[in-house]
Amino acid sequence: MIAPQDRQKLAQWLGARLDGMGPDLTLRPISGGQSNPTAFLDSGTRHLVLRGRPQGVLLPSAHAVDREFRVQKALAGQGVPVPEVLLYCDDRSITGTEFYVMERVEGRVLHDNRLSELPAPERRMVFDDLARTLAAVHRVDIDAAGLQDFGRRGGFAARQIARWSRQWDLSNPRPNPDIDRLKAWLGAHIPAEDCTTLVHGDFRLGNVMLHPSEPRIVAVLDWELSTLGHPLADLAHSCVYTWFMGPQDYGRGLRGLDPAALDLPRMEEFTARYFAAAGGGAELSTFWLALALFRNAVIFEGIAERARQGNASAANAAEVGRLAPVLARLGAALTEDICP
């Protein structure tokens, strides 16, 4: 993640800005992610987390650690559990890329939506808190948090279709008729209803931290895709990772399983919990699910391209990238069932 010769520069840079730092530091990479390389950082009496952009050529606007830092700083005291962010550095001479550091939060990050590590009675409690926490993100007063310029208001769906269509082309993909069908269908079915909230952009089980021993969320992580947008885009993304991916896929989802037999909620139960906590709405439409599948197909194709370039953040990037056509096919099938 950081070249050995750069660690001393990093130790000096942090030591000049943070109390409790020692003359040396240790870094332990945190595995499992496909986005911004992340590591535990220990020095002196400080136990921190360092998060930076990947090395190499990146897609435009991807891996925006500056936005991650800004939104987490703005959310302090806003009712959304986030780590305390400390410092942001855009001087690439320190580590070779931009980075930020934050306080370490103790807890558990569980990536498998079956939650087999937990006692059965706690599994629904985790999903209930996941729904409540996502609703809390969407209830944030954008102006009070100083995020009024964090994105554009209104028109989020159309911009997302255009953005991810461009990203697909930039990822140098193989031809995919399902992507072509999804783009056409989405463009013709944008909902008339519109609203704007803060959106996380990648809200799912693997991006929250649970209390070390209790079934509740103590931190929401990985804010690199956060912006102002439509809350149902966030909700649909969570649903795609949980109920549209299989247990062997990257998302470790529940597709093909019986949630009730595992003491887990069905998608309709989860969305009902979300709408109750959000204070409005009653249905997650096909459009938002199809958009989430399209968007994630593009993201996974980008991961595959980074694997081809040799600068992916995780060793299984090529395997993960093979999910792109699977998600595109699921999205196309979903829209064809509703509107051929």
Side-chain angles (χ1 to χ4, degrees):
M1 177 180 177
I2 296 177
Q5 63 269 24
D6 290 333
R7 295 195 180 194
Q8 190 60 38
K9 288 190 291 184
L10 176 61
Q12 293 172 350
W13 190 89
L14 292 173
R17 292 161 176 82
L18 290 177
D19 294 333
M21 297 292 296
D24 300 306
L25 59 79
T26 60
L27 290 170
R28 290 179 291 138
I30 302 173
S31 63
Q34 294 291 342
S35 54
N36 294 329
T38 309
F40 292 126
L41 188 157
D42 295 293
S43 179
T45 61
R46 304 303 295 261
H47 305 289
L48 310 172
V49 172
L50 182 145
R51 192 159 160 88
R53 297 189 84 205
Q55 305 283 348
V57 178
L58 304 173
L59 294 176
S61 77
H63 309 282
V65 293
D66 56 335
R67 288 177 64 83
E68 277 195 353
F69 179 84
R70 178 187 171 188
V71 70
Q72 289 178 97
K73 195 168 187 65
L75 287 175
Q78 294 291 327
V80 178
V82 290
E84 180 185 358
V85 292
L86 302 172
L87 295 168
Y88 168 71
C89 178
D90 61 0
D91 182 353
R92 297 188 179 190
S93 70
I94 305 299
T95 67
T97 187
E98 303 100 306
F99 68 90
Y100 69 93
V101 292
M102 54 188 163
E103 293 285 6
R104 190 179 309 174
V105 178
E106 297 300 326
R108 300 167 291 169
V109 177
L110 305 180
H111 294 276
D112 192 329
N113 283 276
R114 291 172 291 186
L115 295 178
S116 54
E117 305 97 323
L118 302 184
E122 294 187 356
R123 296 172 191 168
R124 284 180 178 268
M125 297 171 69
V126 168
F127 274 96
D128 285 351
D129 204 31
L130 197 68
R132 285 191 295 267
T133 301
L134 181 57
V137 172
H138 298 157
R139 291 198 309 269
V140 167
D141 186 323
I142 295 168
D143 296 324
L147 295 171
Q148 59 269 26
D149 62 344
F150 197 60
R152 293 168 59 185
R153 296 179 188 248
F156 184 69
R159 291 198 305 278
Q160 284 285 289
I161 296 167
R163 173 187 179 180
W164 296 108
S165 295
R166 288 193 301 270
Q167 297 288 66
W168 176 263
D169 294 337
L170 288 168
S171 293
N172 191 32
R174 293 176 292 274
N176 188 312
D178 291 323
I179 286 288
D180 296 336
R181 283 195 290 271
L182 265 176
K183 284 195 290 186
W185 188 92
L186 288 166
H189 292 82
I190 296 174
E193 177 274 335
D194 202 2
C195 67
T196 299
T197 68
L198 175 67
V199 293
H200 178 275
D202 193 13
F203 192 88
R204 52 189 171 88
L205 180 68
N207 278 341
V208 300
M209 179 174 285
L210 301 183
H211 184 276
S213 60
E214 300 174 14
R216 61 182 177 87
I217 295 168
V218 295
V220 180
L221 310 172
D222 293 5
W223 289 84
E224 70 170 281
L225 294 174
S226 60
T227 188
L228 301 187
H230 200 294
L232 294 186
D234 255 0
L235 179 61
H237 178 83
S238 296
C239 291
V240 162
Y241 260 80
T242 308
W243 290 279
F244 283 78
M245 291 193 192
Q248 304 308 314
D249 294 337
Y250 172 66
R252 301 294 184 263
L254 305 177
R255 182 166 57 88
L257 304 178
D258 179 4
L262 300 171
D263 295 290
L264 296 167
R266 293 178 292 108
M267 185 173 75
E268 294 77 12
E269 294 176 285
F270 177 76
T271 58
R273 293 283 190 278
Y274 164 82
F275 287 123
E283 183 183 38
L284 180 61
S285 70
T286 298
F287 173 85
W288 294 107
L289 288 169
L291 179 59
L293 286 161
F294 172 66
R295 173 181 181 263
N296 278 287
V298 176
I299 289 172
F300 283 127
E301 184 65 28
I303 292 170
E305 174 61 16
R306 292 205 304 277
R308 290 190 287 267
Q309 292 179 2
N311 68 332
S313 299
N316 65 336
E319 175 188 350
V320 170
R322 286 194 285 272
L323 269 172
V326 175
L327 297 180
R329 186 162 58 252
L330 287 170
L334 183 67
T335 62
E336 288 164 2
D337 285 345
I338 302 299
C339 183

